[in-house]
């Protein structure tokens, strides 16, 4: 009898451990699904939705070159946008007239100032062409403040999976620096700002077209050139200070009282 | 190198150019097609001859406008030249030929008739000193244009019943 109780207790404990392990594994799976934006259950338990994936050149492999966009406007005029002809960031918003998730973006993207995007950021809205969209529906959503281009080819070129979809392009390099979907306007704006920040710190921002940041031996050589131009050559005593007076030959600044 | 087409004007844009071909909504009278092409982002509120855009140009930029006039201009002395110029030389550009004089820039403007339509072609260089580099870019753009006869004799913005 005693042996039976001991065995039963052991079995119950073992099963309890197994159930606890399964529950933990299930929780991990649910948490991962929530983070991917496809979670189930109570949405309030999920962290702030982060379905946007505006990756940056620092943290992700290059997304490739960004092709130009050519199509027609909702009023039947022709429009071509080059995304590699300035130092600006260009935010391409691929929207549809009939998608419910696009409504907020139609309004917000046509007021870039309200979004507080990095200055200057060019915003362009791209819908499918007149073969897949109703121009009058698109026209009713446009304000004329930002370019709206209807181009099915652009959707194909950028491999747009659905709307709303966003691509951020660095005009100095003509390359995509981020792309993805978004559910909230503020989220998109924040990620654009972050991408701009990363771009600036990676040396890609604020440079002229065709210029590239230096690294490694090229950077060292450039520094040598600057020093040589200032008359500081290899072996110059100023490169090997021994005392603070060597570093501050004209005296040190004394903090004001 | 995208191709855009509207209102009987087609262009295969050279590398680095963007553009638009449009008819401005008429507030009074009739309006005719305008093509604008540039090596920098063209603001949507740019004036027909580049006001609001030429101030944004860098030294290595080019801006050009192809502007169509009304049929009453056909046969006038100003539009007597048949066909667009074959190409421009550096001497064709002058700082004095600017709609709005901006230091360092220069421009050229030509009037002609092609495919039975009266046009002017106006181009601005971001830097007069860079003419050797920029004039060939204007010529490449100019040669990329295809101008077709007007579709009908009716003004483009006139309403019509089927």
């Amino acid at each position: 009898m005693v042996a039976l109780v001991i065995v039963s207790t052991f079995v119950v404990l073992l099963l309890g451990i197994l159930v606890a392990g399964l529950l933990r594994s299930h929780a991990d799976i649910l948490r991962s699904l929530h983070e991917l934006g496809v979670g189930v259950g109570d949405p309030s338990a999920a962290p702030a939705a982060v379905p946007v994936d505006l990756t940056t050149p620092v943290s992700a492999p290059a997304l490739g070159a960004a092709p130009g966009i050519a199509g027609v406007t909702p009023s039947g005029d022709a429009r071509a946008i080059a995304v590699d002809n300035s130092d600006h960031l260009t935010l391409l918003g691929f929207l549809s007239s009939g998608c419910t998730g696009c409504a907020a973006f139609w309004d917000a993207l046509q007021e870039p100032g309200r979004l507080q995007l990095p200055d200057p950021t060019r915003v362009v809205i791209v819908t499918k062409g007149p073969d897949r969209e109703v121009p009058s529906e698109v026209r009713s959503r446009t304000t004329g403040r930002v370019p709206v281009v209807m181009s099915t080819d652009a959707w194909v070129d950028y491999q747009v999976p659905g709307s709303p979809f966003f691509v951020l392009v660095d005009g100095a390099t003509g390359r995509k620096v981020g792309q993805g979907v978004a559910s909230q306007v503020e989220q998109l704006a924040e990620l654009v700002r972050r991408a701009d920040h990363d771009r600036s710190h990676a040396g890609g921002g604020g440079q002229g077209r065709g210029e590239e940041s230096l690294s490694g031996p090229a950077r060292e050589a450039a520094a040598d050139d600057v020093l040589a131009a200032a008359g500081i050559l290899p072996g110059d005593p100023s490169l090997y200070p021994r005392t603070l007076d060597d570093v501050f030959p004209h005296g040190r600044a004394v903090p004001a009282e | 190198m995208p191709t855009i087409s509207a209102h009987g004007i087609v262009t295969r844009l050279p590398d680095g150019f963007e553009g638009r071909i449009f008819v401005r909504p008429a507030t009074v009278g009739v309006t005719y097609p305008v093509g604008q092409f540039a090596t920098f982002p063209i603001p949507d509120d740019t004036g027909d001859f580049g006001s609001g855009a030429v101030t944004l140009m860098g030294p290595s930029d080019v801006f050009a406008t192809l502007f169509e006039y009304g049929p009453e201009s056909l046969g006038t002395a100003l539009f007597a030249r048949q066909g667009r110029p074959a190409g421009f030389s550096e001497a064709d550009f002058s700082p004095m030929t600017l709609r709005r004089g901006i230091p360092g820039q220069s421009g050229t403007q030509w009037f002609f008739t092609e495919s039975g339509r009266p046009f002017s072609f106006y181009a601005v260089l971001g830097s007069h000193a860079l003419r050797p580099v920029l004039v060939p870019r204007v010529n490449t753009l100019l040669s990329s244009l295809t101008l077709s006869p007007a579709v009908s004799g009716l003004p483009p913005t006139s309403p019509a019943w089927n």
Side-chain angles (χ1 to χ4, degrees):
Chain A
M1 183 63 186
V2 173
L4 184 61
V5 169
I6 292 173
V7 170
S8 298
T9 304
F10 179 75
V11 169
V12 167
L13 281 174
L14 189 62
L15 288 174
I17 292 170
L18 282 173
V19 169
L22 284 171
L23 286 173
R24 180 171 181 173
S25 169
H26 186 65
D28 287 343
I29 292 170
L30 284 177
R31 193 179 305 119
S32 298
L33 288 172
H34 279 306
E35 288 172 0
L36 289 171
V38 292
V40 294
D42 181 11
S44 63
V50 282
V52 180
D53 180 25
L54 284 177
T55 52
T56 69
V58 177
S59 60
L63 294 169
I69 291 172
V72 297
T73 68
S75 55
D77 297 326
R79 189 72 157 109
I81 302 286
V83 293
D84 60 352
N85 61 354
S86 73
D87 294 335
H88 306 175
L89 285 173
T90 299
L91 176 62
L92 303 172
F94 291 86
L95 305 180
S96 302
S97 62
C99 104
T100 51
C102 296
F105 292 106
W106 274 108
D107 294 335
L109 290 180
Q110 294 185 86
E111 289 186 55
R114 202 184 83 187
L115 283 176
Q116 296 183 316
L117 297 176
D119 191 30
T121 299
R122 188 185 199 190
V123 176
V124 179
I125 294 176
V126 187
T127 72
K128 288 181 181 172
D131 55 328
R132 303 288 178 88
E133 272 278 8
V134 181
S136 61
E137 289 288 320
V138 177
R139 191 163 52 238
S140 70
R141 285 165 174 74
T142 60
T143 63
R145 294 196 187 107
V146 304
V148 177
V149 184
M150 303 182 70
S151 171
T152 303
D153 287 345
W155 281 54
V156 173
D157 290 344
Y158 281 86
Q159 300 179 321
V160 178
S163 57
F165 186 78
F166 302 92
V167 178
L168 190 64
V169 182
D170 181 351
T173 62
R175 302 185 73 81
K176 300 177 214 169
V177 293
Q179 64 180 21
V181 297
S183 60
Q184 295 173 16
V185 172
E186 295 76 15
Q187 205 174 47
L188 174 66
E190 175 56 31
L191 284 160
V192 171
R193 286 193 288 271
R194 195 182 306 163
D196 179 58
H197 181 267
D198 288 350
R199 167 179 169 259
S200 302
H201 283 72
Q207 297 184 358
R209 285 173 254 169
E211 295 179 20
E212 293 180 0
S213 59
L214 298 175
S215 62
R219 184 174 183 172
E220 187 179 343
D224 285 346
D225 289 344
V226 172
L227 290 170
I232 300 174
L233 302 172
D236 191 287
S238 67
L239 297 174
Y240 308 98
R242 294 184 177 181
T243 67
L244 284 176
D245 289 335
D246 292 338
V247 181
F248 302 105
H250 305 296
R252 278 173 273 171
V254 178
E257 293 290 332
Chain B
M1 209 183 293
T3 298
I4 56 173
S5 168
H7 312 298
I9 300 170
V10 182
T11 178
R12 184 174 171 78
L13 288 168
D15 283 340
F17 274 88
E18 68 172 65
R20 58 180 186 158
I21 303 166
F22 62 97
V23 175
R24 211 174 281 284
T27 51
V28 177
V30 178
T31 53
Y32 293 92
V34 181
Q36 293 181 329
F37 314 97
T39 57
F40 59 96
I42 303 173
D44 270 19
D45 57 356
T46 299
D48 288 338
F49 288 91
S51 61
V54 291
T55 50
L56 305 176
M57 295 176 70
S60 59
D61 282 324
V62 165
F63 174 86
T65 284
L66 179 72
F67 188 92
E68 182 173 0
Y69 291 80
E72 68 279 3
S73 300
L74 289 169
T76 61
L78 185 62
F79 294 93
R81 179 191 180 92
Q82 292 299 312
R84 78 193 81 165
F88 300 118
S89 68
E90 294 176 25
D92 290 325
F93 286 83
S94 164
M96 304 302 292
T97 316
L98 289 173
R99 291 275 176 147
R100 178 181 176 188
I102 296 177
Q105 296 184 356
S106 64
T108 192
Q109 185 169 22
W110 293 72
F111 296 86
F112 59 92
T113 298
E114 186 166 322
S115 297
R117 301 165 68 179
F119 288 103
S120 82
F121 184 86
Y122 173 63
V124 180
L125 308 181
S127 166
H128 187 61
L130 294 178
R131 296 188 309 287
V133 178
L134 300 182
V135 172
R137 300 199 74 184
V138 177
N139 288 336
T140 304
L141 171 70
L142 183 67
S143 64
S144 76
L145 294 167
T146 302
L147 309 178
S148 306
V151 175
S152 75
L154 291 173
T157 55
S158 292
W161 295 102
N162 288 320

Coordinates of all heavy atoms in Angstrom, one line a residue, chain A residues 161-223:
Chain A
P161 N 3.5 43.2 -51.2 CA 2.7 42.0 -50.9 C 1.2 42.4 -50.7 O 0.3 41.6 -50.9 CB 3.3 41.5 -49.6 CG 3.9 42.6 -49.0 CD 4.4 43.5 -50.1
G162 N 1.0 43.7 -50.4 CA -0.4 44.1 -50.1 C -0.3 45.5 -49.5 O 0.8 46.1 -49.3
S163 N -1.5 46.1 -49.3 CA -1.5 47.5 -48.8 C -2.1 47.5 -47.4 O -2.9 46.7 -47.1 CB -2.3 48.4 -49.7 OG -3.6 48.0 -49.9
P164 N -1.6 48.4 -46.5 CA -0.6 49.4 -46.8 C 0.8 48.8 -46.7 O 1.0 48.0 -45.8 CB -0.8 50.5 -45.7 CG -1.4 49.7 -44.6 CD -2.2 48.6 -45.2
F165 N 1.7 49.3 -47.5 CA 3.1 48.8 -47.5 C 4.0 50.1 -47.7 O 3.6 51.0 -48.4 CB 3.3 47.8 -48.6 CG 4.7 47.1 -48.6 CD1 5.0 46.1 -47.7 CD2 5.7 47.5 -49.5 CE1 6.2 45.5 -47.7 CE2 6.9 46.9 -49.5 CZ 7.2 45.9 -48.6
F166 N 5.2 50.1 -47.1 CA 6.0 51.2 -47.1 C 7.4 50.9 -47.4 O 7.9 49.8 -47.0 CB 6.0 52.0 -45.7 CG 4.6 52.4 -45.4 CD1 3.8 51.5 -44.6 CD2 4.0 53.6 -45.8 CE1 2.5 51.9 -44.3 CE2 2.7 53.9 -45.5 CZ 1.9 53.0 -44.8
V167 N 8.1 51.7 -48.2 CA 9.5 51.6 -48.5 C 10.2 52.9 -48.3 O 9.7 54.0 -48.7 CB 9.7 51.1 -50.0 CG1 11.2 51.0 -50.3 CG2 9.0 49.8 -50.3
L168 N 11.3 52.9 -47.6 CA 12.1 54.1 -47.3 C 13.4 54.0 -48.2 O 14.1 53.0 -48.1 CB 12.4 54.1 -45.8 CG 13.0 55.5 -45.3 CD1 12.1 56.6 -45.5 CD2 13.5 55.3 -43.9
V169 N 13.6 55.0 -48.9 CA 14.8 55.0 -49.8 C 15.7 56.2 -49.5 O 15.3 57.3 -49.2 CB 14.3 55.2 -51.3 CG1 15.5 55.2 -52.3 CG2 13.3 54.1 -51.7
D170 N 17.0 55.9 -49.5 CA 18.1 56.9 -49.3 C 18.4 57.5 -50.6 O 19.0 56.8 -51.5 CB 19.3 56.2 -48.6 CG 20.4 57.2 -48.3 OD1 20.3 58.4 -48.8 OD2 21.3 56.8 -47.7
G171 N 18.1 58.8 -50.8 CA 18.3 59.4 -52.1 C 19.8 59.5 -52.5 O 20.1 59.6 -53.7
A172 N 20.6 59.6 -51.5 CA 22.1 59.7 -51.8 C 22.6 58.5 -52.5 O 23.6 58.5 -53.2 CB 22.8 60.0 -50.5
T173 N 22.1 57.3 -52.1 CA 22.6 56.0 -52.7 C 21.6 55.4 -53.6 O 22.0 54.5 -54.4 CB 22.9 55.0 -51.5 OG1 21.7 54.7 -50.8 CG2 23.9 55.6 -50.5
G174 N 20.4 55.8 -53.6 CA 19.4 55.2 -54.4 C 19.0 53.8 -54.0 O 18.5 53.0 -54.8
R175 N 19.3 53.5 -52.7 CA 19.0 52.1 -52.2 C 17.9 52.2 -51.1 O 17.8 53.2 -50.4 CB 20.3 51.5 -51.7 CG 21.4 51.4 -52.7 CD 22.6 50.7 -52.1 NE 22.3 49.3 -52.0 CZ 22.4 48.4 -53.1 NH1 22.8 48.9 -54.2 NH2 22.2 47.2 -52.9
K176 N 17.2 51.1 -51.0 CA 16.2 50.9 -50.0 C 16.9 50.8 -48.6 O 17.9 50.1 -48.5 CB 15.3 49.7 -50.2 CG 14.6 49.7 -51.5 CD 13.8 48.4 -51.6 CE 13.8 47.9 -53.1 NZ 13.3 46.5 -53.2
V177 N 16.4 51.5 -47.6 CA 16.9 51.4 -46.3 C 15.9 50.7 -45.4 O 16.2 50.5 -44.2 CB 17.5 52.7 -45.7 CG1 18.6 53.2 -46.5 CG2 16.4 53.8 -45.7
G178 N 14.7 50.5 -45.8 CA 13.8 49.9 -45.0 C 12.5 49.6 -45.8 O 12.2 50.3 -46.7
Q179 N 11.8 48.6 -45.4 CA 10.5 48.3 -46.0 C 9.6 47.5 -45.1 O 10.2 46.7 -44.2 CB 10.6 47.7 -47.4 CG 11.3 46.3 -47.3 CD 11.4 45.7 -48.7 OE1 11.4 46.4 -49.7 NE2 11.5 44.4 -48.8
G180 N 8.3 47.5 -45.2 CA 7.5 46.7 -44.4 C 6.1 47.2 -44.3 O 5.7 48.2 -45.0
V181 N 5.3 46.6 -43.5 CA 3.9 47.0 -43.3 C 3.7 47.8 -42.0 O 4.6 47.7 -41.2 CB 2.9 45.8 -43.3 CG1 3.0 45.0 -44.6 CG2 3.3 44.8 -42.2
A182 N 2.7 48.5 -41.9 CA 2.4 49.2 -40.7 C 0.9 49.3 -40.4 O 0.1 49.2 -41.3 CB 3.0 50.7 -40.8
S183 N 0.6 49.4 -39.1 CA -0.8 49.4 -38.8 C -1.2 50.8 -38.2 O -2.3 51.2 -38.2 CB -1.2 48.3 -37.8 OG -0.4 48.5 -36.7
Q184 N -0.1 51.5 -37.7 CA -0.4 52.8 -37.1 C 0.5 53.9 -37.7 O 1.7 53.6 -37.9 CB -0.2 52.7 -35.6 CG -1.1 51.8 -34.9 CD -0.8 51.6 -33.4 OE1 0.0 52.3 -32.9 NE2 -1.3 50.5 -32.8
V185 N 0.0 55.1 -37.9 CA 0.7 56.2 -38.5 C 1.9 56.6 -37.6 O 3.0 56.7 -38.1 CB -0.2 57.4 -38.7 CG1 0.6 58.6 -39.1 CG2 -1.3 57.1 -39.7
E186 N 1.7 56.7 -36.3 CA 2.8 57.1 -35.4 C 3.9 56.1 -35.4 O 5.1 56.5 -35.3 CB 2.2 57.3 -33.9 CG 1.2 58.4 -33.8 CD -0.2 58.0 -34.3 OE1 -0.4 56.7 -34.6 OE2 -1.0 58.8 -34.5
Q187 N 3.6 54.9 -35.5 CA 4.6 53.8 -35.5 C 5.5 54.0 -36.8 O 6.7 53.9 -36.7 CB 3.8 52.5 -35.7 CG 4.5 51.3 -35.2 CD 3.5 50.2 -35.2 OE1 2.8 50.0 -36.3 NE2 3.3 49.4 -34.2
L188 N 4.8 54.3 -37.9 CA 5.6 54.5 -39.1 C 6.5 55.7 -39.0 O 7.7 55.6 -39.4 CB 4.6 54.7 -40.3 CG 5.2 55.0 -41.6 CD1 6.1 53.8 -42.2 CD2 4.2 55.4 -42.7
A189 N 6.0 56.8 -38.5 CA 6.8 58.0 -38.4 C 8.0 57.7 -37.5 O 9.1 58.2 -37.8 CB 5.9 59.1 -37.8
E190 N 7.8 57.0 -36.4 CA 8.9 56.8 -35.5 C 10.0 55.9 -36.1 O 11.2 56.2 -35.9 CB 8.3 56.1 -34.2 CG 9.4 55.6 -33.2 CD 10.3 56.8 -32.7 OE1 9.8 57.9 -32.7 OE2 11.5 56.6 -32.5
L191 N 9.5 54.9 -36.9 CA 10.5 54.1 -37.5 C 11.3 54.8 -38.6 O 12.4 54.5 -38.9 CB 9.8 52.8 -38.0 CG 9.5 51.9 -36.9 CD1 8.4 50.9 -37.2 CD2 10.7 51.2 -36.4
V192 N 10.6 55.7 -39.3 CA 11.3 56.5 -40.3 C 12.4 57.4 -39.6 O 13.5 57.5 -40.1 CB 10.4 57.4 -41.1 CG1 11.1 58.4 -42.0 CG2 9.4 56.6 -42.0
R193 N 12.0 58.0 -38.5 CA 12.9 58.8 -37.7 C 14.1 58.0 -37.3 O 15.3 58.4 -37.3 CB 12.3 59.5 -36.5 CG 11.3 60.6 -36.9 CD 10.9 61.4 -35.7 NE 10.0 60.7 -34.9 CZ 8.7 60.8 -35.0 NH1 8.1 61.5 -35.9 NH2 7.9 60.1 -34.2
R194 N 13.8 56.8 -36.8 CA 14.9 55.9 -36.4 C 15.8 55.5 -37.5 O 17.0 55.5 -37.4 CB 14.3 54.6 -35.7 CG 15.3 53.9 -34.9 CD 14.7 52.6 -34.3 NE 13.5 52.9 -33.5 CZ 12.6 52.0 -33.2 NH1 12.7 50.7 -33.6 NH2 11.5 52.3 -32.5
A195 N 15.2 55.2 -38.7 CA 16.1 54.8 -39.8 C 16.9 56.0 -40.2 O 18.1 55.8 -40.6 CB 15.1 54.4 -41.0
D196 N 16.4 57.2 -40.2 CA 17.2 58.4 -40.5 C 18.3 58.5 -39.5 O 19.5 58.9 -39.9 CB 16.3 59.6 -40.5 CG 17.1 60.9 -40.8 OD1 17.7 60.9 -41.9 OD2 17.1 61.8 -40.0
H197 N 18.1 58.3 -38.3 CA 19.1 58.4 -37.2 C 20.2 57.4 -37.5 O 21.4 57.7 -37.5 CB 18.4 58.2 -35.8 CG 19.4 58.3 -34.7 ND1 20.1 57.2 -34.2 CD2 19.8 59.3 -34.0 CE1 20.9 57.6 -33.2 NE2 20.7 58.9 -33.1
D198 N 19.8 56.2 -37.8 CA 20.8 55.1 -38.0 C 21.6 55.5 -39.3 O 22.8 55.3 -39.3 CB 20.1 53.8 -38.2 CG 19.6 53.2 -36.9 OD1 19.9 53.8 -35.9 OD2 18.8 52.2 -36.9
R199 N 20.9 56.0 -40.3 CA 21.6 56.3 -41.5 C 22.6 57.4 -41.3 O 23.7 57.4 -41.8 CB 20.5 56.8 -42.5 CG 21.0 57.5 -43.8 CD 19.7 57.8 -44.6 NE 20.0 58.7 -45.7 CZ 19.7 60.0 -45.7 NH1 19.3 60.6 -44.6 NH2 20.0 60.8 -46.7
S200 N 22.3 58.4 -40.5 CA 23.2 59.5 -40.2 C 24.4 59.0 -39.4 O 25.5 59.4 -39.7 CB 22.5 60.6 -39.3 OG 21.4 61.1 -40.0
H201 N 24.2 58.1 -38.5 CA 25.3 57.6 -37.7 C 26.1 56.6 -38.5 O 27.3 56.3 -38.1 CB 24.8 57.0 -36.4 CG 24.5 58.0 -35.4 ND1 23.3 58.8 -35.5 CD2 25.1 58.4 -34.3 CE1 23.3 59.6 -34.5 NE2 24.3 59.4 -33.7
A202 N 25.5 56.0 -39.6 CA 26.3 55.1 -40.4 C 27.1 55.9 -41.5 O 27.9 55.3 -42.2 CB 25.4 54.2 -41.1
G203 N 27.0 57.2 -41.4 CA 27.7 58.1 -42.4 C 27.1 58.2 -43.7 O 27.6 58.8 -44.6
G204 N 25.8 57.8 -43.8 CA 25.1 57.9 -45.1 C 24.4 59.1 -45.3 O 23.9 59.5 -46.4
G205 N 24.1 59.8 -44.2 CA 23.2 61.0 -44.3 C 24.0 62.3 -44.5 O 25.2 62.4 -44.0
G206 N 23.4 63.2 -45.1 CA 24.0 64.5 -45.2 C 25.2 64.6 -46.2 O 25.9 65.6 -46.2
Q207 N 25.4 63.6 -46.9 CA 26.5 63.7 -47.9 C 26.0 63.9 -49.3 O 24.9 63.6 -49.6 CB 27.3 62.4 -47.8 CG 27.9 62.1 -46.5 CD 28.8 60.9 -46.5 OE1 28.9 60.2 -47.5 NE2 29.4 60.6 -45.4
G208 N 26.9 64.5 -50.1 CA 26.5 64.7 -51.4 C 26.3 63.4 -52.2 O 26.7 62.4 -51.8
R209 N 25.5 63.6 -53.3 CA 25.3 62.4 -54.2 C 26.6 61.9 -54.7 O 27.4 62.6 -55.1 CB 24.4 62.8 -55.3 CG 22.9 63.0 -54.9 CD 22.2 63.5 -56.1 NE 21.9 64.9 -55.9 CZ 21.4 65.7 -56.8 NH1 21.1 65.2 -58.0 NH2 21.1 66.9 -56.6
G210 N 26.7 60.6 -54.6 CA 27.9 59.9 -55.2 C 29.1 59.9 -54.2 O 30.0 59.2 -54.4
E211 N 29.0 60.5 -53.0 CA 30.0 60.4 -52.0 C 29.8 59.2 -51.1 O 28.6 58.9 -50.9 CB 30.0 61.7 -51.2 CG 30.4 62.9 -52.0 CD 30.4 64.2 -51.2 OE1 30.5 64.0 -49.9 OE2 30.3 65.3 -51.7
E212 N 30.8 58.7 -50.6 CA 30.7 57.5 -49.8 C 31.4 57.8 -48.5 O 32.5 58.4 -48.5 CB 31.2 56.2 -50.4 CG 30.3 55.9 -51.7 CD 30.9 54.6 -52.3 OE1 31.9 54.1 -51.8 OE2 30.3 54.2 -53.3
S213 N 31.0 57.2 -47.4 CA 31.7 57.3 -46.1 C 32.9 56.4 -46.2 O 33.0 55.4 -46.9 CB 30.8 56.8 -45.0 OG 30.4 55.5 -45.2
L214 N 34.0 56.9 -45.5 CA 35.2 56.1 -45.5 C 35.3 55.2 -44.3 O 34.8 55.5 -43.3 CB 36.4 57.1 -45.5 CG 36.5 58.1 -46.8 CD1 37.6 59.1 -46.6 CD2 36.6 57.3 -48.0
S215 N 36.0 54.1 -44.5 CA 36.3 53.3 -43.3 C 37.6 52.6 -43.6 O 38.1 52.5 -44.7 CB 35.1 52.2 -43.2 OG 35.1 51.4 -44.3
G216 N 38.2 52.0 -42.5 CA 39.4 51.2 -42.6 C 40.6 52.0 -43.1 O 40.7 53.2 -42.8
P217 N 41.3 51.4 -44.0 CA 42.6 52.0 -44.5 C 42.3 53.4 -45.2 O 43.1 54.3 -45.2 CB 43.1 51.0 -45.5 CG 42.5 49.7 -45.1 CD 41.2 50.0 -44.5
A218 N 41.1 53.4 -45.9 CA 40.8 54.7 -46.7 C 40.6 55.8 -45.7 O 41.1 57.0 -45.9 CB 39.6 54.5 -47.5
R219 N 40.0 55.5 -44.5 CA 39.8 56.6 -43.5 C 41.1 57.0 -42.9 O 41.4 58.2 -42.7 CB 38.8 56.0 -42.5 CG 38.4 57.0 -41.4 CD 37.4 56.4 -40.5 NE 37.0 57.4 -39.5 CZ 36.0 57.2 -38.7 NH1 35.3 56.1 -38.7 NH2 35.7 58.1 -37.8
E220 N 42.0 56.0 -42.7 CA 43.3 56.3 -42.1 C 44.1 57.2 -43.1 O 44.7 58.1 -42.7 CB 44.0 55.0 -41.8 CG 45.3 55.1 -41.1 CD 46.0 53.8 -40.9 OE1 45.3 52.7 -41.0 OE2 47.2 53.8 -40.6
A221 N 44.0 56.8 -44.4 CA 44.8 57.6 -45.4 C 44.2 59.0 -45.4 O 45.0 60.0 -45.6 CB 44.6 56.9 -46.7
A222 N 42.9 59.2 -45.3 CA 42.3 60.5 -45.4 C 42.8 61.3 -44.2 O 43.1 62.5 -44.3 CB 40.8 60.4 -45.4
A223 N 42.8 60.7 -43.0 CA 43.3 61.4 -41.8 C 44.8 61.8 -42.0 O 45.2 62.9 -41.6 CB 43.1 60.5 -40.6

